[in-house]
C-alpha cells in the first residue's frame, strides 16, 4: 500500500516514526565498522526504527535482505551496494512496492536512475586523484622510474573502480610512474597482507604502495616489515579512509599520506530518509565533505578523531 504521493510503503506509521531497512555490505574494515555505528546511532537519535543486516560482502545476501524489507513493507530502504552491477531486478521490485531506495556510500551502475531517490557518499574518483597528486608531488624533482604497486578494493565495487581510475588519470601523465602490479585485497587487512607478500616476492624493486583503503595498507605494512623493509621509508605508502588505525600508522611514519573518506553518513542518511518518505524532493547526489592528511596533520588530528 503506497501513501497518496506513492512515496513509501506506508508513508510512515502516522505518528511520524518511519521504519528503515538497511542492508550493510559487511564488517570488512575499520571504515565499515565506523559506518555501521554511525547509521545505528543516527537512527536512534532521529527516532527511526532500523532493521539492519550484514551481508558478509556477498551481493546475494544484500539482495535477500532487500527482498525481506520489501516483504516487511518498510517505509524506506537504504544500502551500500557491495558491487556496482546486478541491482536492477531487486530495485524494480522495491519501486513496484512503492518503497523508496537510498544509496549510501557506494553506487550502482543501473541506467534507470528512477530506481533510487538519491546517492549519498564520497567522490571516489576524486579520492584516487588526490592520492595520485600526492605521489606526483612527492617525486616532482626526480627523474628515475618509480615502481608502484596497487592494492585494489573489492573487485567490481564502485570505490575500487573509481579510485583506480582517478589515481591512474593523474599518475599516467608522468611516464616515470610505473604501476608494476595491481590486484584486489578485498578491502581487508588479511588479504592486503597476503597480496603484498606476493608483490614483494615477485618485484625486487617496489618504491610505492597505493592501497585503496587503510586496512589493506595496514596488512601490507606487516608484509613489508616481515620482508625486513621499513614501511614509509623503503616503500612509501598512500592509502584512503583515515580511520583511527590508519591515522596512527600515519602519525608513526609507517604510512606517508591518507586521503579521507568519511564513514559518518548516518545523520545525513536519516534526514534524507525522512524527506523521501514524506515525498519531498531531495538532491539526486549528495557528496561527502572530506580532506586528506600528512604525517604531521595526523598527529594534530588524532586526539579528536571520532573514528
Ligand atoms: C568507501 C567504502 C570502502 C572503504 C573501505 O566509501 O565503501 O569500503 O574505503 C570499506 O574501507 O571496506
Amino acid at each position: 500500500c503506497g501513501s497518496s504521493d506513492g512515496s513509501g510503503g506506508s508513508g510512515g506509521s502516522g505518528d511520524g516514526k518511519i521504519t528503515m531497512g538497511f542492508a550493510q555490505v559487511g564488517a570488512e574494515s575499520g571504515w565499515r565498522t565506523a559506518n555501521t555505528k554511525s547509521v545505528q546511532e543516527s537512527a536512534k537519535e532521529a527516532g527511526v526504527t532500523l532493521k539492519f543486516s550484514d551481508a558478509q560482502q556477498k551481493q546475494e545476501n544484500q539482495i535477500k535482505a532487500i527482498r525481506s524489507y520489501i516483504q516487511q513493507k518498510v517505509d524506506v530502504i537504504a544500502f551500500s551496494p557491495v558491487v556496482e552491477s546486478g541491482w536492477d531486478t531487486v530495485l524494480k521490485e522495491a519501486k513496484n512496492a512503492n518503497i523508496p531506495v537510498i544509496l549510501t556510500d557506494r553506487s550502482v551502475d543501473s541506467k534507470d536512475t528512477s530506481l533510487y531517490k538519491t546517492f549519498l557518499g564520497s567522490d571516489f574518483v576524486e579520492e584516487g586523484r588526490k592520492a595520485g597528486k600526492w605521489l606526483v608531488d612527492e617525486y616532482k624533482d626526480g627523474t628515475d622510474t618509480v615502481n608502484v604497486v596497487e592494492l585494489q578494493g573489492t573487485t567490481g565495487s564502485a570505490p575500487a573502480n573509481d579510485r583506480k581510475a582517478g589515481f591512474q588519470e593523474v599518475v599516467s601523465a608522468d611516464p616515470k610512474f610505473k604501476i608494476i602490479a595491481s590486484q584486489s585485497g578485498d578491502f581487508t587487512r588479511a588479504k592486503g597482507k597476503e597480496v603484498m607478500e606476493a608483490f614483494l616476492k615477485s618485484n625486487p624493486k617496489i618504491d610505492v604502495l597505493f592501497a585503496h583503503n587503510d586496512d589493506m595498507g595496514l596488512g601490507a605494512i606487516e608484509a613489508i616489515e616481515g620482508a625486513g623493509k621499513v614501511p614509509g621509508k623503503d616503500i612509501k605508502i598512500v592509502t584512503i579512509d583515515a580511520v583511527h588505525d590508519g591515522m596512527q600508522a600515519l602519525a608513526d611514519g609507517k604510512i606517508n599520506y591518507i586521503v579521507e573518506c568519511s564513514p559518518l553518513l548516518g545523520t545525513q542518511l536519516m534526514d534524507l530518509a525522512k524527506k523521501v518518505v514524506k515525498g519531498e524532493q531531495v538532491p539526486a547526489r549528495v557528496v561527502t565533505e572530506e580532506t586528506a592528511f600528512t604525517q604531521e596533520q595526523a598527529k594534530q588530528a588524532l586526539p579528536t578523531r571520532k573514528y
Side-chain angles (χ1 to χ4, degrees):
C1 62
S3 55
S4 55
D5 55 10
S7 68
S10 59
S13 43
D15 61 2
K17 274 188 77 69
I18 64 171
T19 298
M20 171 186 283
F22 189 93
Q24 181 60 291
V25 167
E28 72 282 2
S29 62
W31 190 97
R32 190 63 57 196
T33 308
N35 179 247
T36 291
K37 189 162 172 269
S38 171
V39 168
Q40 290 176 333
E41 285 177 356
S42 302
K44 223 173 269 153
E45 278 153 33
V48 170
T49 304
L50 186 71
K51 294 175 182 294
F52 182 89
S53 64
D54 169 334
Q56 283 99 38
Q57 288 190 284
K58 289 185 175 56
Q59 181 174 28
E60 64 268 20
N61 290 347
Q62 279 193 303
I63 291 174
K64 267 193 212 124
I66 292 170
R67 286 201 165 115
S68 105
Y69 296 145
I70 293 171
Q71 290 305 319
Q72 297 173 64
K73 293 189 170 32
V74 298
D75 298 303
V76 59
I77 290 169
F79 76 115
S80 168
V82 60
V83 293
E84 284 190 292
S85 308
W87 300 99
D88 286 35
T89 304
V90 73
L91 291 180
K92 281 185 186 128
E93 291 166 20
K95 187 178 176 186
N96 294 339
N98 267 328
I99 299 178
V101 172
I102 295 175
L103 300 181
T104 162
D105 168 29
R106 300 181 185 178
S107 189
V108 298
D109 61 8
S110 303
K111 297 284 170 288
D112 179 358
T113 53
S114 76
L115 294 175
Y116 53 90
K117 294 293 180 189
T118 181
F119 165 37
L120 162 65
S122 304
D123 177 343
F124 300 129
V125 177
E126 190 48 34
E127 290 174 346
R129 289 194 191 103
K130 283 181 187 173
K133 283 173 188 160
W134 172 81
L135 186 61
V136 167
D137 186 57
E138 186 71 9
Y139 285 89
K140 64 181 178 304
D141 303 331
T143 52
D144 295 349
T145 298
V146 179
N147 286 340
V148 183
V149 294
E150 180 180 24
L151 285 170
Q152 296 183 38
T154 301
T155 304
S157 68
N161 292 337
D162 292 353
R163 286 170 180 169
K164 180 175 178 47
F167 182 77
Q168 205 121 37
E169 176 193 299
V170 171
V171 302
S172 60
D174 185 331
K176 70 169 172 270
F177 296 108
K178 303 267 182 251
I179 299 179
I180 57 172
S182 179
Q183 196 179 323
S184 175
D186 210 17
F187 283 131
T188 68
R189 283 195 199 201
K191 198 86 177 96
K193 179 179 179 187
E194 188 189 311
V195 175
M196 189 66 197
E197 282 166 346
F199 284 167
L200 286 159
K201 283 201 182 77
S202 45
N203 298 283
K205 183 179 175 294
I206 298 174
D207 301 303
V208 176
L209 163 65
F210 168 44
H212 289 188
N213 81 331
D214 292 354
D215 288 68
M216 293 189 292
L218 292 163
I221 284 169
E222 290 176 45
I224 292 165
E225 290 174 332
K229 293 176 187 272
V230 181
K233 292 203 173 25
D234 298 335
I235 297 179
K236 293 191 187 296
I237 301 178
V238 50
T239 68
I240 299 177
D241 275 353
V243 293
H244 182 273
D245 292 354
M247 292 287 273
Q248 189 59 60
L250 180 62
D252 296 344
K254 294 188 176 184
I255 292 179
N256 299 85
Y257 192 68
I258 301 187
V259 175
E260 186 183 40
C261 174
S262 177
L264 305 181
L265 304 174
T267 309
Q268 287 172 291
L269 174 59
M270 298 308 151
D271 292 349
L272 287 164
K274 287 184 174 175
K275 287 193 172 89
V276 152
V277 169
K278 275 189 249 164
E280 288 173 16
Q281 278 306 312
V282 293
R285 179 80 174 88
V286 180
V287 183
T288 327
E289 307 263 316
E290 48 207 27
T291 179
F293 295 93
T294 62
Q295 290 171 348
E296 268 322 299
Q297 288 165 337
K299 287 175 191 158
Q300 304 305 321
L302 262 169
T304 55
R305 284 293 279 174
K306 290 196 200 119
Y307 60 94

